[in-house]
């Protein structure tokens, strides 16, 4: 990888820490008049993979409306390494990179069918109390689920 | 108009009944790899114009979450007469075509800057009670607002 | 089915003629503030299923840019029978309903995991010459592919 | 501003350097089931403002398909400071922050009607030769247009 990306210190290590991924077919409506997938779709893929990871870890995402706290996006970034085209199936990898008291840093990697990195990204999610709109600590149970997911990376 | 469209009996009369419209700039992300606006964006334009018409008529759309009933789409259709391109500003005309007890039929017309019809459409909106999920009559006040909007067409 | 839908004369027969479908996970970004999938996403699902059917039938959709003719949407309609929610996986059924010289009528049916019909739809696709922008006949080879797909329905 | 954002050293100075902006109405389909604008829409707003700025500076964006080089997104990031809701009109500010040989760094700021910052962002755009797919220098004429835009900031 020739490109310098601030949130990746060692690309190989960073790459190897991913294990959870969601395969997605590129949709025609996600292309733009330049003939490739429009940049805004990267964040649709990231969000979908993030919510499936959270569900996989045991966070209920189906009854989000009846919950006390919701995961809100605090920041997001994406590096576009390679164009993605209609007809491709991509694998959207996602991992919990860092766990704070009321927030987590999530990283993303999108590979095409040739296993070439097309997108990398990261973003912080904050746990927001639905009544106050303020950040609120994860429960101990939630923290354990998050830590367990991180341990899985490291022992891979 | 050479094209036969089931919901338009006389194009000139139908055309003349519109008065309310919302100008919209075509967004780059709405194009697709064929170089024009993707067909799915037509329904984004329709929805936006419909909600602005309802707000204009006095239906509160800003605090939709605190309301007793919400306008839900029962069906939608669109005829694509002319391609729309990035860089164009379109005028999205919208009118109340028919008023039922708990539903209204809304018609749409999109003109480009040369005033050429690019899209026509229609769709029924049903007033749904947020607690029961069932259709519910419009209030007398709401019906008056709707009828007034229709009268405006006819006396134009 | 209590609802009258103009393009469905006998719901059971119409239903039974579908065989090709594409499973799709509902994406979070496809929901709206009413808590369900926004109406505009129906047409994203339809388009995706349509293009996968055409690819399955042998129409090249991957190198759409190098082709002589492209399938352009002439009209589209959708009936919304049941709300769709985040977290659901839907099956988007699609079939060729009628074959013309330069156009085809395509029908759609979306079932949720309980096999309840959520959306039905139809729309005409016109084969457009990329140089002239005018409708152009399907080739004999393309017509055979389309007819074969229809025969499959009828002998099921 | 309590929040630390790596690409903003002095918020007031950074803020004051913006002058070009595009007002946009939030669309209903841009909301999600959390009741606010979905995070992916931020990048739709950024792209639209960026392309309008480039057009304003004299870069032809209308006939993008006939051009020798196109502006491609290399990276993008966004900080979400305040939720945006349906019904709001936002002003999307955009400025050229840094000019390279074949790339520019563009910054973004979104204010709501109370002039509260809701989103900040940045991203690098690379000038790509459409035939080779490789970065290519801006022409001298293009560089002048970009520099002029930057001078406007500084003398404001």
């Amino acid at each position: 990888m020739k490109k310098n990306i601030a949130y990746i210190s060692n690309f190989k290590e960073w790459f190897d820490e991913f294990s959870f991924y969601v395969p997605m077919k590129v949709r025609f409506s996600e292309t733009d008049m330049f003939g490739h997938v429009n940049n805004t779709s990267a964040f649709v893929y990231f969000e979908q993979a993030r919510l499936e990871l959270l569900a996989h870890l045991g966070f209920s995402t189906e009854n989000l409306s009846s919950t006390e706290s919701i995961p809100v996006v605090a920041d997001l970034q994406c590096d576009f390494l390679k164009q993605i085209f209609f007809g491709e199936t991509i694998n959207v990898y996602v991992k919990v990179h860092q766990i704070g008291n009321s927030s987590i840093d999530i990283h993303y990697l999108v590979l095409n069918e040739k296993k070439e990195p097309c997108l990398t990204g990261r973003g912080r999610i904050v746990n927001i109390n639905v009544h106050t709109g303020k950040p609120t600590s994860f429960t101990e149970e939630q923290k354990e689920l998050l830590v367990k997911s991180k341990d899985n990376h490291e022992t891979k």
Side-chain angles (χ1 to χ4, degrees), chain A residues 81-120:
Chain A
L81 308 182
K82 215 174 160 55
Q83 298 181 76
I84 304 174
F85 296 97
F86 175 63
E88 292 190 345
T89 295
I90 54 175
N91 285 338
V92 185
Y93 286 81
V94 57
K95 65 175 172 182
V96 175
H97 185 72
Q98 217 166 22
I99 305 165
N101 205 38
S102 61
S103 74
I104 45 178
D105 197 48
I106 295 185
H107 283 207
Y108 306 92
L109 168 65
V110 172
L111 302 183
N112 64 16
E113 285 155 272
K114 296 177 190 160
K115 304 209 181 302
E116 298 165 322
C118 298
L119 306 172
T120 65

Coordinates of all heavy atoms in Angstrom, one line a residue, chain A residues 81-120:
Chain A
L81 N -9.6 3.7 -2.5 CA -8.4 3.2 -3.1 C -8.6 2.7 -4.5 O -7.7 2.7 -5.4 CB -7.9 2.0 -2.2 CG -7.7 2.4 -0.7 CD1 -7.1 1.2 0.0 CD2 -6.9 3.6 -0.5
K82 N -9.8 2.2 -4.8 CA -10.0 1.5 -6.1 C -11.5 1.7 -6.4 O -12.3 1.5 -5.6 CB -9.7 0.0 -6.0 CG -9.1 -0.5 -7.2 CD -8.6 -2.0 -7.1 CE -8.5 -2.6 -8.4 NZ -7.7 -1.8 -9.4
Q83 N -11.8 2.0 -7.7 CA -13.2 2.1 -8.1 C -14.0 0.8 -7.9 O -13.4 -0.3 -8.1 CB -13.3 2.6 -9.5 CG -12.6 3.9 -9.8 CD -12.8 4.3 -11.3 OE1 -13.8 4.7 -11.7 NE2 -11.7 4.1 -12.0
I84 N -15.2 0.9 -7.6 CA -16.1 -0.3 -7.5 C -17.1 -0.1 -8.7 O -17.6 1.0 -8.9 CB -16.8 -0.3 -6.2 CG1 -15.8 -0.4 -5.0 CG2 -17.7 -1.5 -6.1 CD1 -16.3 -0.3 -3.6
F85 N -17.5 -1.2 -9.3 CA -18.4 -1.1 -10.4 C -19.7 -2.0 -10.2 O -19.7 -2.9 -9.4 CB -17.7 -1.6 -11.7 CG -16.5 -0.7 -12.0 CD1 -15.3 -1.0 -11.7 CD2 -16.8 0.5 -12.7 CE1 -14.2 -0.2 -12.0 CE2 -15.7 1.3 -13.0 CZ -14.4 1.0 -12.7
F86 N -20.7 -1.6 -11.0 CA -22.0 -2.4 -11.0 C -21.7 -3.8 -11.4 O -20.9 -4.1 -12.3 CB -23.0 -1.8 -11.9 CG -24.2 -2.6 -12.1 CD1 -25.0 -2.8 -11.0 CD2 -24.6 -3.3 -13.3 CE1 -26.2 -3.6 -11.1 CE2 -25.7 -4.0 -13.4 CZ -26.5 -4.2 -12.3
G87 N -22.3 -4.8 -10.7 CA -22.1 -6.2 -11.1 C -21.1 -6.8 -10.1 O -21.1 -8.1 -10.0
E88 N -20.3 -6.0 -9.4 CA -19.4 -6.6 -8.4 C -20.1 -7.0 -7.1 O -21.1 -6.4 -6.7 CB -18.3 -5.6 -8.1 CG -17.4 -5.4 -9.2 CD -16.1 -4.6 -8.9 OE1 -16.1 -4.0 -7.8 OE2 -15.2 -4.5 -9.7
T89 N -19.6 -8.1 -6.5 CA -20.0 -8.4 -5.1 C -18.8 -8.0 -4.2 O -17.7 -8.4 -4.5 CB -20.3 -9.8 -4.9 OG1 -21.5 -10.1 -5.7 CG2 -20.6 -10.2 -3.5
I90 N -19.1 -7.2 -3.2 CA -18.0 -6.7 -2.4 C -18.1 -7.3 -1.0 O -19.3 -7.7 -0.6 CB -17.9 -5.2 -2.2 CG1 -19.3 -4.7 -1.8 CG2 -17.5 -4.6 -3.5 CD1 -19.3 -3.2 -1.5
N91 N -17.0 -7.5 -0.3 CA -17.1 -8.0 1.1 C -16.7 -6.8 2.0 O -15.7 -6.2 1.9 CB -16.1 -9.1 1.4 CG -16.6 -10.4 0.8 OD1 -17.9 -10.6 0.6 ND2 -15.8 -11.4 0.6
V92 N -17.7 -6.4 2.9 CA -17.5 -5.2 3.7 C -17.1 -5.7 5.1 O -17.9 -6.2 5.9 CB -18.7 -4.4 3.8 CG1 -18.5 -3.1 4.6 CG2 -19.2 -4.0 2.4
Y93 N -15.8 -5.6 5.4 CA -15.2 -6.0 6.7 C -15.4 -4.9 7.7 O -15.3 -3.7 7.3 CB -13.8 -6.4 6.6 CG -13.5 -7.7 5.9 CD1 -13.5 -7.8 4.5 CD2 -13.2 -8.8 6.6 CE1 -13.3 -9.0 3.9 CE2 -13.0 -10.1 6.0 CZ -13.0 -10.1 4.6 OH -12.8 -11.3 4.0
V94 N -15.7 -5.3 8.9 CA -15.9 -4.3 10.0 C -15.4 -4.8 11.3 O -15.5 -6.0 11.6 CB -17.4 -3.9 10.0 CG1 -18.3 -5.1 10.3 CG2 -17.6 -2.8 11.1
K95 N -14.7 -4.0 12.1 CA -14.2 -4.4 13.4 C -14.3 -3.3 14.4 O -14.2 -2.1 14.1 CB -12.8 -4.9 13.3 CG -11.8 -3.8 12.9 CD -10.3 -4.3 12.9 CE -9.4 -3.2 12.4 NZ -8.0 -3.6 12.3
V96 N -14.4 -3.7 15.7 CA -14.3 -2.7 16.8 C -12.9 -2.5 17.0 O -12.1 -3.4 17.3 CB -15.0 -3.3 18.0 CG1 -14.8 -2.3 19.2 CG2 -16.5 -3.5 17.8
H97 N -12.4 -1.2 16.9 CA -11.0 -0.9 17.0 C -10.6 -0.5 18.4 O -9.6 -0.8 18.9 CB -10.6 0.1 15.9 CG -9.2 0.4 15.9 ND1 -8.3 -0.4 15.3 CD2 -8.4 1.5 16.3 CE1 -7.1 0.1 15.4 NE2 -7.1 1.2 16.0
Q98 N -11.5 0.3 19.0 CA -11.2 0.9 20.3 C -12.5 1.0 21.0 O -13.5 1.4 20.5 CB -10.5 2.2 20.1 CG -9.4 2.5 21.2 CD -8.6 3.7 20.8 OE1 -9.0 4.5 20.0 NE2 -7.4 3.7 21.3
I99 N -12.5 0.7 22.4 CA -13.7 0.8 23.1 C -13.5 1.9 24.2 O -12.6 1.8 25.1 CB -14.0 -0.6 23.8 CG1 -14.0 -1.7 22.8 CG2 -15.3 -0.5 24.6 CD1 -14.0 -3.1 23.3
G100 N -14.4 2.8 24.2 CA -14.4 3.9 25.3 C -15.5 3.6 26.2 O -16.2 2.6 26.1
N101 N -15.8 4.6 27.1 CA -16.8 4.4 28.1 C -18.2 4.5 27.4 O -19.1 3.7 27.7 CB -16.7 5.5 29.1 CG -17.2 5.1 30.4 OD1 -17.1 3.9 30.8 ND2 -17.9 6.0 31.1
S102 N -18.3 5.5 26.5 CA -19.6 5.7 25.9 C -19.5 5.7 24.4 O -20.4 6.1 23.7 CB -20.3 7.0 26.4 OG -19.5 8.1 26.1
S103 N -18.3 5.3 23.9 CA -18.1 5.4 22.4 C -17.2 4.3 22.0 O -16.4 3.7 22.8 CB -17.6 6.7 22.0 OG -16.2 6.9 22.3
I104 N -17.3 3.9 20.7 CA -16.4 2.9 20.1 C -15.9 3.5 18.8 O -16.6 4.2 18.1 CB -17.1 1.5 19.9 CG1 -18.5 1.7 19.3 CG2 -17.1 0.8 21.2 CD1 -19.1 0.3 19.0
D105 N -14.7 3.1 18.5 CA -14.1 3.4 17.2 C -14.2 2.2 16.3 O -13.7 1.1 16.7 CB -12.7 3.8 17.4 CG -12.1 4.6 16.2 OD1 -12.8 5.5 15.7 OD2 -11.0 4.3 15.7
I106 N -14.8 2.3 15.2 CA -15.1 1.2 14.3 C -14.3 1.4 13.0 O -14.3 2.5 12.5 CB -16.6 1.0 14.0 CG1 -17.3 0.6 15.4 CG2 -16.9 -0.1 13.0 CD1 -18.8 0.3 15.2
H107 N -13.7 0.3 12.5 CA -12.9 0.4 11.3 C -13.5 -0.5 10.2 O -14.2 -1.5 10.5 CB -11.4 0.0 11.5 CG -10.6 1.0 12.2 ND1 -9.3 1.1 12.1 CD2 -11.0 2.0 13.0 CE1 -8.8 2.2 12.8 NE2 -9.9 2.7 13.4
Y108 N -13.3 -0.1 9.0 CA -13.9 -0.7 7.8 C -12.9 -1.0 6.7 O -11.9 -0.3 6.5 CB -14.9 0.2 7.2 CG -16.0 0.7 8.2 CD1 -15.8 1.9 8.9 CD2 -17.1 0.0 8.4 CE1 -16.7 2.4 9.8 CE2 -18.1 0.5 9.3 CZ -17.9 1.6 10.0 OH -18.8 2.1 10.9
L109 N -13.2 -2.1 6.0 CA -12.3 -2.5 4.8 C -13.2 -3.1 3.8 O -13.9 -4.1 4.1 CB -11.2 -3.4 5.3 CG -10.5 -4.2 4.2 CD1 -9.6 -3.2 3.4 CD2 -9.5 -5.2 4.8
V110 N -13.2 -2.6 2.6 CA -14.0 -3.2 1.5 C -13.1 -3.9 0.5 O -12.2 -3.2 -0.1 CB -15.0 -2.2 0.9 CG1 -15.6 -2.8 -0.4 CG2 -16.0 -1.7 1.9
L111 N -13.3 -5.2 0.3 CA -12.5 -5.9 -0.8 C -13.4 -6.3 -1.9 O -14.6 -6.6 -1.7 CB -11.9 -7.2 -0.2 CG -11.0 -7.1 1.0 CD1 -10.5 -8.5 1.4 CD2 -9.8 -6.2 0.8
N112 N -12.9 -6.2 -3.1 CA -13.7 -6.7 -4.3 C -13.4 -8.2 -4.5 O -12.7 -8.8 -3.6 CB -13.3 -5.9 -5.5 CG -11.9 -6.0 -6.0 OD1 -11.2 -6.9 -5.5 ND2 -11.5 -5.1 -6.8
E113 N -13.9 -8.8 -5.5 CA -13.8 -10.2 -5.7 C -12.4 -10.7 -5.9 O -12.1 -11.9 -5.6 CB -14.8 -10.7 -6.8 CG -16.2 -10.7 -6.4 CD -17.2 -10.5 -7.6 OE1 -17.5 -9.4 -8.0 OE2 -17.6 -11.5 -8.1
K114 N -11.5 -9.8 -6.4 CA -10.1 -10.2 -6.5 C -9.4 -9.9 -5.2 O -8.1 -9.9 -5.2 CB -9.5 -9.3 -7.6 CG -10.0 -9.6 -9.0 CD -9.3 -8.6 -10.0 CE -10.0 -8.6 -11.3 NZ -9.7 -7.4 -12.1
K115 N -10.1 -9.6 -4.2 CA -9.5 -9.4 -2.8 C -8.7 -8.1 -2.8 O -7.8 -8.0 -1.9 CB -8.8 -10.6 -2.3 CG -9.6 -11.9 -2.2 CD -9.2 -12.8 -1.1 CE -10.0 -14.1 -1.1 NZ -11.5 -13.8 -0.9
E116 N -8.9 -7.2 -3.7 CA -8.2 -5.9 -3.7 C -9.0 -4.9 -2.8 O -10.2 -4.8 -2.8 CB -8.2 -5.3 -5.1 CG -7.4 -6.2 -6.1 CD -7.7 -5.7 -7.5 OE1 -8.9 -5.4 -7.9 OE2 -6.8 -5.8 -8.4
P117 N -8.2 -4.2 -1.9 CA -8.9 -3.2 -1.1 C -9.4 -2.1 -1.9 O -8.6 -1.5 -2.7 CB -7.7 -2.7 -0.2 CG -6.6 -3.7 -0.3 CD -6.8 -4.3 -1.7
C118 N -10.7 -1.8 -1.8 CA -11.3 -0.7 -2.6 C -11.5 0.5 -1.7 O -11.4 1.6 -2.1 CB -12.6 -1.2 -3.2 SG -12.4 -2.5 -4.4
L119 N -12.0 0.2 -0.5 CA -12.3 1.3 0.5 C -11.7 0.9 1.8 O -11.7 -0.3 2.2 CB -13.8 1.4 0.7 CG -14.7 1.6 -0.5 CD1 -16.1 1.6 -0.1 CD2 -14.4 3.0 -1.2
T120 N -11.2 1.9 2.6 CA -10.9 1.7 4.0 C -11.6 2.8 4.7 O -11.8 3.9 4.1 CB -9.4 1.7 4.3 OG1 -8.9 3.0 4.0 CG2 -8.6 0.7 3.5

